[in-house]
mmCIF file of all heavy atoms in Angstrom:
data_model
loop_
_atom_site.group_PDB
_atom_site.id
_atom_site.type_symbol
_atom_site.label_atom_id
_atom_site.label_comp_id
_atom_site.label_asym_id
_atom_site.label_seq_id
_atom_site.Cartn_x
_atom_site.Cartn_y
_atom_site.Cartn_z
ATOM 1 N N LYS A 1 160.836 126.380 93.632
ATOM 2 C CA LYS A 1 161.608 127.093 94.659
ATOM 3 C C LYS A 1 162.748 127.834 93.982
ATOM 4 O O LYS A 1 163.508 127.252 93.216
ATOM 5 C CB LYS A 1 162.155 126.111 95.695
ATOM 6 C CG LYS A 1 162.901 126.779 96.832
ATOM 7 C CD LYS A 1 163.352 125.765 97.857
ATOM 8 C CE LYS A 1 164.134 126.432 98.977
ATOM 9 N NZ LYS A 1 164.674 125.431 99.908
ATOM 10 N N GLU A 2 162.835 129.127 94.272
ATOM 11 C CA GLU A 2 163.869 129.973 93.675
ATOM 12 C C GLU A 2 165.246 129.636 94.224
ATOM 13 O O GLU A 2 165.377 128.891 95.200
ATOM 14 C CB GLU A 2 163.518 131.440 93.930
ATOM 15 C CG GLU A 2 162.239 131.859 93.234
ATOM 16 C CD GLU A 2 161.829 133.293 93.504
ATOM 17 O OE1 GLU A 2 162.665 134.088 94.014
ATOM 18 O OE2 GLU A 2 160.673 133.638 93.206
ATOM 19 N N GLY A 3 166.270 130.206 93.591
ATOM 20 C CA GLY A 3 167.659 129.893 93.867
ATOM 21 C C GLY A 3 168.059 129.826 95.328
ATOM 22 O O GLY A 3 167.691 130.686 96.125
ATOM 23 N N TYR A 4 168.811 128.784 95.642
ATOM 24 C CA TYR A 4 169.381 128.584 96.972
ATOM 25 C C TYR A 4 170.748 127.924 96.802
ATOM 26 O O TYR A 4 171.080 127.456 95.713
ATOM 27 C CB TYR A 4 168.457 127.751 97.873
ATOM 28 C CG TYR A 4 168.094 126.393 97.323
ATOM 29 C CD1 TYR A 4 168.845 125.257 97.631
ATOM 30 C CD2 TYR A 4 166.983 126.242 96.498
ATOM 31 C CE1 TYR A 4 168.508 124.006 97.132
ATOM 32 C CE2 TYR A 4 166.631 124.997 95.996
ATOM 33 C CZ TYR A 4 167.392 123.881 96.313
ATOM 34 O OH TYR A 4 167.062 122.649 95.818
ATOM 35 N N ALA A 5 171.533 127.883 97.858
ATOM 36 C CA ALA A 5 172.880 127.310 97.777
ATOM 37 C C ALA A 5 172.805 125.849 97.329
ATOM 38 O O ALA A 5 172.061 125.051 97.897
ATOM 39 C CB ALA A 5 173.577 127.414 99.126
ATOM 40 N N ASP A 6 173.567 125.514 96.292
ATOM 41 C CA ASP A 6 173.581 124.151 95.755
ATOM 42 C C ASP A 6 174.214 123.206 96.787
ATOM 43 O O ASP A 6 175.397 123.340 97.115
ATOM 44 C CB ASP A 6 174.381 124.122 94.446
ATOM 45 C CG ASP A 6 174.353 122.783 93.753
ATOM 46 O OD1 ASP A 6 174.121 121.750 94.417
ATOM 47 O OD2 ASP A 6 174.578 122.754 92.529
ATOM 48 N N PRO A 7 173.448 122.242 97.292
ATOM 49 C CA PRO A 7 173.985 121.346 98.311
ATOM 50 C C PRO A 7 175.064 120.392 97.790
ATOM 51 O O PRO A 7 175.773 119.777 98.579
ATOM 52 C CB PRO A 7 172.754 120.572 98.799
ATOM 53 C CG PRO A 7 171.776 120.655 97.675
ATOM 54 C CD PRO A 7 172.042 121.966 96.988
ATOM 55 N N THR A 8 175.206 120.284 96.462
ATOM 56 C CA THR A 8 176.237 119.393 95.903
ATOM 57 C C THR A 8 177.577 120.099 95.730
ATOM 58 O O THR A 8 178.563 119.457 95.384
ATOM 59 C CB THR A 8 175.798 118.808 94.540
ATOM 60 O OG1 THR A 8 175.745 119.855 93.559
ATOM 61 C CG2 THR A 8 174.444 118.112 94.644
ATOM 62 N N ALA A 9 177.614 121.401 95.957
ATOM 63 C CA ALA A 9 178.849 122.174 95.766
ATOM 64 C C ALA A 9 179.719 122.094 97.020
ATOM 65 O O ALA A 9 179.249 122.368 98.124
ATOM 66 C CB ALA A 9 178.526 123.623 95.451
ATOM 67 N N THR A 10 180.970 121.718 96.831
ATOM 68 C CA THR A 10 181.907 121.655 97.961
ATOM 69 C C THR A 10 182.669 122.961 98.129
ATOM 70 O O THR A 10 183.276 123.195 99.169
ATOM 71 C CB THR A 10 182.905 120.494 97.777
ATOM 72 O OG1 THR A 10 183.573 120.649 96.533
ATOM 73 C CG2 THR A 10 182.187 119.158 97.821
ATOM 74 N N GLU A 11 182.643 123.800 97.083
ATOM 75 C CA GLU A 11 183.266 125.122 97.165
ATOM 76 C C GLU A 11 182.611 126.021 96.128
ATOM 77 O O GLU A 11 181.980 125.555 95.190
ATOM 78 C CB GLU A 11 184.778 125.040 96.936
ATOM 79 C CG GLU A 11 185.157 124.476 95.574
ATOM 80 C CD GLU A 11 186.673 124.347 95.413
ATOM 81 O OE1 GLU A 11 187.427 125.023 96.117
ATOM 82 O OE2 GLU A 11 187.080 123.571 94.553
ATOM 83 N N GLY A 12 182.748 127.307 96.323
ATOM 84 C CA GLY A 12 182.201 128.265 95.366
ATOM 85 C C GLY A 12 180.778 128.656 95.696
ATOM 86 O O GLY A 12 180.152 128.139 96.616
ATOM 87 N N ASP A 13 180.280 129.597 94.911
ATOM 88 C CA ASP A 13 178.971 130.198 95.111
ATOM 89 C C ASP A 13 178.004 129.668 94.052
ATOM 90 O O ASP A 13 177.624 130.383 93.130
ATOM 91 C CB ASP A 13 179.124 131.731 95.014
ATOM 92 C CG ASP A 13 177.830 132.455 95.287
ATOM 93 O OD1 ASP A 13 176.946 131.905 95.960
ATOM 94 O OD2 ASP A 13 177.698 133.599 94.799
ATOM 95 N N TRP A 14 177.615 128.397 94.164
ATOM 96 C CA TRP A 14 176.759 127.765 93.158
ATOM 97 C C TRP A 14 175.326 127.696 93.638
ATOM 98 O O TRP A 14 175.056 127.701 94.841
ATOM 99 C CB TRP A 14 177.309 126.393 92.795
ATOM 100 C CG TRP A 14 178.696 126.515 92.246
ATOM 101 C CD1 TRP A 14 179.857 126.176 92.880
ATOM 102 C CD2 TRP A 14 179.079 127.072 90.987
ATOM 103 N NE1 TRP A 14 180.942 126.479 92.072
ATOM 104 C CE2 TRP A 14 180.487 127.042 90.912
ATOM 105 C CE3 TRP A 14 178.368 127.600 89.908
ATOM 106 C CZ2 TRP A 14 181.194 127.499 89.809
ATOM 107 C CZ3 TRP A 14 179.070 128.063 88.808
ATOM 108 C CH2 TRP A 14 180.461 128.010 88.765
ATOM 109 N N VAL A 15 174.401 127.641 92.701
ATOM 110 C CA VAL A 15 172.974 127.784 92.980
ATOM 111 C C VAL A 15 172.203 126.579 92.453
ATOM 112 O O VAL A 15 172.556 125.985 91.436
ATOM 113 C CB VAL A 15 172.448 129.075 92.291
ATOM 114 C CG1 VAL A 15 170.954 129.229 92.449
ATOM 115 C CG2 VAL A 15 173.159 130.290 92.850
ATOM 116 N N ALA A 16 171.122 126.256 93.148
ATOM 117 C CA ALA A 16 170.168 125.238 92.702
ATOM 118 C C ALA A 16 168.775 125.850 92.743
ATOM 119 O O ALA A 16 168.546 126.857 93.422
ATOM 120 C CB ALA A 16 170.228 124.018 93.612
ATOM 121 N N VAL A 17 167.852 125.265 92.011
ATOM 122 C CA VAL A 17 166.429 125.610 92.080
ATOM 123 C C VAL A 17 165.659 124.297 92.133
ATOM 124 O O VAL A 17 166.166 123.254 91.740
ATOM 125 C CB VAL A 17 165.941 126.452 90.868
ATOM 126 C CG1 VAL A 17 166.636 127.799 90.813
ATOM 127 C CG2 VAL A 17 166.085 125.699 89.565
ATOM 128 N N ASP A 18 164.433 124.360 92.620
ATOM 129 C CA ASP A 18 163.563 123.186 92.589
ATOM 130 C C ASP A 18 162.588 123.334 91.431
ATOM 131 O O ASP A 18 161.978 124.403 91.254
ATOM 132 C CB ASP A 18 162.785 123.037 93.888
ATOM 133 C CG ASP A 18 163.660 122.602 95.053
ATOM 134 O OD1 ASP A 18 164.840 122.242 94.826
ATOM 135 O OD2 ASP A 18 163.161 122.624 96.193
ATOM 136 N N LEU A 19 162.462 122.261 90.660
ATOM 137 C CA LEU A 19 161.553 122.223 89.515
ATOM 138 C C LEU A 19 160.512 121.141 89.726
ATOM 139 O O LEU A 19 160.803 120.101 90.332
ATOM 140 C CB LEU A 19 162.326 121.926 88.223
ATOM 141 C CG LEU A 19 163.448 122.891 87.833
ATOM 142 C CD1 LEU A 19 164.141 122.402 86.567
ATOM 143 C CD2 LEU A 19 162.911 124.302 87.650
ATOM 144 N N VAL A 20 159.316 121.374 89.196
ATOM 145 C CA VAL A 20 158.260 120.362 89.182
ATOM 146 C C VAL A 20 157.787 120.184 87.740
ATOM 147 O O VAL A 20 157.682 121.157 86.990
ATOM 148 C CB VAL A 20 157.067 120.728 90.090
ATOM 149 C CG1 VAL A 20 157.467 120.722 91.548
ATOM 150 C CG2 VAL A 20 156.463 122.062 89.712
ATOM 151 N N PRO A 21 157.504 118.942 87.342
ATOM 152 C CA PRO A 21 157.006 118.724 85.981
ATOM 153 C C PRO A 21 155.571 119.229 85.854
ATOM 154 O O PRO A 21 154.782 119.110 86.799
ATOM 155 C CB PRO A 21 157.087 117.205 85.808
ATOM 156 C CG PRO A 21 157.045 116.650 87.190
ATOM 157 C CD PRO A 21 157.637 117.695 88.092
ATOM 158 N N VAL A 22 155.244 119.783 84.691
ATOM 159 C CA VAL A 22 153.883 120.229 84.405
ATOM 160 C C VAL A 22 153.230 119.250 83.444
ATOM 161 O O VAL A 22 152.170 118.702 83.724
ATOM 162 C CB VAL A 22 153.867 121.659 83.826
ATOM 163 C CG1 VAL A 22 152.472 122.061 83.373
ATOM 164 C CG2 VAL A 22 154.414 122.649 84.849
ATOM 165 N N LYS A 23 153.881 119.014 82.298
ATOM 166 C CA LYS A 23 153.336 118.054 81.337
ATOM 167 C C LYS A 23 154.365 117.662 80.294
ATOM 168 O O LYS A 23 155.286 118.422 79.990
ATOM 169 C CB LYS A 23 152.083 118.585 80.656
ATOM 170 C CG LYS A 23 152.289 119.843 79.813
ATOM 171 C CD LYS A 23 151.073 120.252 79.012
ATOM 172 C CE LYS A 23 149.936 120.674 79.882
ATOM 173 N NZ LYS A 23 148.796 121.238 79.161
ATOM 174 N N THR A 24 154.169 116.486 79.753
ATOM 175 C CA THR A 24 154.957 116.012 78.623
ATOM 176 C C THR A 24 154.443 116.722 77.379
ATOM 177 O O THR A 24 153.223 116.882 77.212
ATOM 178 C CB THR A 24 154.802 114.482 78.468
ATOM 179 O OG1 THR A 24 155.249 113.870 79.684
ATOM 180 C CG2 THR A 24 155.604 113.948 77.296
ATOM 181 N N LEU A 25 155.344 117.147 76.516
ATOM 182 C CA LEU A 25 154.923 117.825 75.300
ATOM 183 C C LEU A 25 154.172 116.844 74.396
ATOM 184 O O LEU A 25 154.531 115.665 74.307
ATOM 185 C CB LEU A 25 156.123 118.403 74.557
ATOM 186 C CG LEU A 25 156.928 119.464 75.308
ATOM 187 C CD1 LEU A 25 158.042 120.008 74.428
ATOM 188 C CD2 LEU A 25 156.047 120.590 75.810
ATOM 189 N N GLY A 26 153.158 117.361 73.715
ATOM 190 C CA GLY A 26 152.382 116.532 72.799
ATOM 191 C C GLY A 26 153.237 115.964 71.682
ATOM 192 O O GLY A 26 153.018 114.848 71.213
ATOM 193 N N LYS A 27 154.224 116.737 71.277
ATOM 194 C CA LYS A 27 155.137 116.340 70.203
ATOM 195 C C LYS A 27 156.506 116.929 70.527
ATOM 196 O O LYS A 27 156.636 118.147 70.639
ATOM 197 C CB LYS A 27 154.605 116.905 68.881
ATOM 198 C CG LYS A 27 155.442 116.647 67.681
ATOM 199 C CD LYS A 27 154.776 117.293 66.456
ATOM 200 C CE LYS A 27 155.723 117.315 65.296
ATOM 201 N NZ LYS A 27 155.174 118.063 64.167
ATOM 202 N N PRO A 28 157.546 116.090 70.701
ATOM 203 C CA PRO A 28 158.877 116.642 70.963
ATOM 204 C C PRO A 28 159.323 117.569 69.827
ATOM 205 O O PRO A 28 158.949 117.364 68.670
ATOM 206 C CB PRO A 28 159.777 115.408 71.019
ATOM 207 C CG PRO A 28 158.855 114.275 71.313
ATOM 208 C CD PRO A 28 157.558 114.626 70.654
#
């Protein structure tokens, strides 16, 4: 999900996005 108002922000114009995991890297 693309940028939306960060629900943890009490003031200011801050942004959040939703991320989903795809895969663990084979080798860090």
Side-chain angles (χ1 to χ4, degrees):
K1 183 177 178 185
E2 295 178 15
Y4 57 92
D6 185 336
T8 68
T10 56
E11 60 183 338
D13 183 24
W14 300 106
V15 176
V17 297
D18 288 351
L19 302 177
V20 293
V22 173
K23 63 173 66 173
T24 301
L25 298 183
K27 178 181 168 187

